[in-house]
Amino acid sequence: MRTFNYSQKIQNLLTPEIVQLLTCIHEHKGRQDLFLEANTDELKTLVDVAMIQSTGASNRIEGIFTSDKRLEALVSKKAEPHNRSEQEIAGYREVLALIHENHDYIPPAPNVIRQLHRDLYSYSTGAIGGDYKNADNVIAETDAQGHQKARFIPVPASDS
């Protein structure tokens, strides 16, 4: 697994201008809290819409499709998954909700990533979640003429 050490780079990042911007962000955060309290219902609706759109878009990138009506029902937990695509959508929904609700407490550590991966595939049959991949893969798309091209090339298995 790749590791990153930013301890040296942070000294170059904390310029007076950046510190001033961070101070402004902190001030605006206080105002944001007041806004959140005053507009709870509207913001809940926006979060629900964003969760549905994010789930749909992220799964379409992977070539996973369902109708908009089924997607909304799956994300809002009003329906159970019927096929593999819907199982992956349900798993994505669970992980997205977990991250959304607990982002402050989720460290980007290898075991946490493996746990999220396990949860992602928790609705799928077979034990494919939670382990490092052992083979390379490519997310491909097929055009109208039947030609395939790589849409996304993940990190090689040897680097995971």
Side-chain angles (χ1 to χ4, degrees):
M1 172 164 289
R2 296 179 185 179
T3 57
F4 300 94
N5 182 353
Y6 292 102
S7 60
Q8 296 296 325
K9 295 186 181 228
I10 195 128
Q11 294 171 357
N12 296 334
L13 293 175
L14 291 177
T15 64
E17 294 82 13
I18 297 294
V19 172
Q20 182 181 12
L21 289 171
L22 290 171
T23 302
C24 288
I25 290 170
H26 184 69
E27 289 175 19
H28 289 293
K29 187 174 180 189
R31 292 184 198 141
Q32 177 184 348
D33 291 340
L34 293 173
F35 179 81
L36 292 173
E37 288 178 25
N39 300 293
T40 305
D41 293 338
E42 293 89 351
L43 292 172
K44 168 95 173 78
T45 301
L46 288 174
V47 167
D48 292 344
V49 169
M51 296 284 261
I52 292 167
Q53 290 178 347
S54 174
T55 302
S58 295
N59 281 281
R60 281 191 299 275
I61 289 172
E62 296 279 341
I64 299 167
F65 296 92
T66 192
S67 70
D68 289 343
K69 185 176 179 181
R70 281 295 293 167
L71 176 67
E72 185 174 344
L74 288 165
V75 173
S76 61
K77 296 185 178 184
K78 294 179 181 173
E80 291 296 316
H82 292 311
N83 55 39
R84 184 171 184 245
S85 289
E86 291 186 359
Q87 290 170 346
E88 292 196 25
I89 289 169
Y92 184 90
R93 168 200 69 206
E94 296 297 325
V95 172
L96 184 62
L98 178 70
I99 291 170
H100 179 77
E101 294 167 8
N102 299 294
H103 56 85
D104 287 339
Y105 311 105
I106 301 175
N111 284 338
V112 172
I113 302 300
R114 290 179 66 208
Q115 178 183 346
L116 292 173
H117 187 257
R118 183 201 64 210
D119 294 350
L120 183 67
Y121 288 100
S122 62
Y123 287 85
S124 300
T125 55
I128 62 171
D131 293 320
Y132 292 109
K133 66 182 184 178
N134 55 15
D136 293 344
N137 63 316
V138 173
I139 309 302
E141 64 181 276
T142 306
D143 64 19
Q145 292 77 31
H147 299 105
Q148 281 195 337
K149 72 174 188 174
R151 180 182 285 195
F152 177 73
I153 301 173
V155 174
S158 60
D159 289 352
S160 59

